[in-house]
Amino acid sequence: MLNSSYQPVKMVSWQRALILWFQGKVEVVEYHTEVARSARAEFQIPSVLRLKRYVNQRRFARVKFCRENVYRRDNFTCQYCGKNFHPRDLTLDHVVPASRSGRKDWTNMVTACRRCNHRKANRTPLAAGMPLLNEPRVPAWLPPLETASRWESLPASWKVYLGEDPADESKGATG
Ligand SMILES: [Zn+2]
């Protein structure tokens, strides 16, 4: 779902999408090829919605801060060595160590593999000589779990609104 300004604000189920559409709160920007059938009618399922009225971003539920969601934001990729891991082999790393009053929040917690976390220890990335691949940000949205590590599996119609392929961005980053 997009704001009236075309900024992505939230992911909604297709059922919710139909309800919002019937309530007249959104306009449909793009459709899926699939249709939903009820006893009496058939509806083409919306793929991209746009709110008719601008809604302050703060009104949308924030993405809950938790271990799993940090992994998802970071694409299950260690933010130091850039490798992909199974969640069981990942850890959360305080960018600024807790011992130096680094906070446990979206902007100070990143996904790290056990090896990098151990190597970095109680140091800042600068002191450890381990620069971060991406600046940790508060996510506006998260992809569904099953597509989290697969940008290419997101519907093509969404990518236009979500911006650059995150993989391309990391390729451009210098280590
Ligand atoms: Zn690593």
Side-chain angles (χ1 to χ4, degrees):
M1 184 162 75
L2 308 173
N3 217 331
S4 60
S5 58
Y6 288 93
Q7 292 293 314
V9 288
K10 196 181 178 182
M11 273 227 268
V12 296
S13 67
W14 65 265
Q15 292 93 335
R16 179 89 186 123
L18 285 176
I19 291 167
L20 288 166
W21 184 29
F22 296 153
Q23 289 174 338
K25 291 183 179 166
V26 296
E27 62 174 26
V28 177
V29 180
E30 313 232 14
Y31 290 93
H32 278 301
T33 46
E34 290 88 357
V35 291
R37 287 184 185 86
S38 75
R40 274 173 286 176
E42 203 177 81
F43 309 98
Q44 203 170 359
I45 298 175
S47 164
V48 179
L49 306 171
R50 178 178 169 239
L51 284 161
K52 288 185 179 171
R53 286 180 51 193
Y54 184 82
V55 177
N56 192 316
Q57 186 92 20
R58 285 184 198 164
R59 288 209 28 214
F60 295 102
R62 294 197 184 164
V63 180
K64 191 180 144 221
F65 175 80
C66 64
R67 172 181 298 271
E68 178 71 11
N69 284 346
V70 174
Y71 292 170
R72 286 166 71 192
R73 178 197 64 186
D74 295 341
N75 245 339
F76 299 91
T77 304
C78 171
Q79 295 300 293
Y80 297 106
C81 67
K83 288 182 197 147
N84 229 234
F85 289 89
H86 188 277
R88 69 165 172 258
D89 297 317
L90 289 170
T91 60
L92 284 185
D93 178 60
H94 281 78
V95 177
V96 174
S99 58
R100 300 186 189 197
S101 42
R103 291 207 281 201
K104 195 162 188 170
D105 62 19
W106 283 113
T107 59
N108 194 49
M109 299 304 287
V110 295
T111 304
C113 70
R114 292 180 189 285
R115 197 161 161 245
C116 289
N117 201 337
H118 187 253
R119 207 182 119 208
K120 178 173 170 280
N122 267 339
R123 296 177 293 179
T124 62
L126 189 68
M130 297 169 69
L132 283 166
L133 293 180
N134 305 291
E135 187 194 332
R137 296 201 177 112
V138 181
W141 68 288
L142 285 173
L145 199 50
E146 62 274 18
T147 62
S149 54
R150 303 195 51 197
W151 168 266
E152 59 281 8
S153 67
L154 289 177
S157 58
W158 291 13
K159 295 182 183 175
V160 182
Y161 304 98
L162 293 173
E164 294 296 305
D165 182 340
D168 280 347
E169 254 177 63
S170 62
K171 266 178 231 155
T174 50

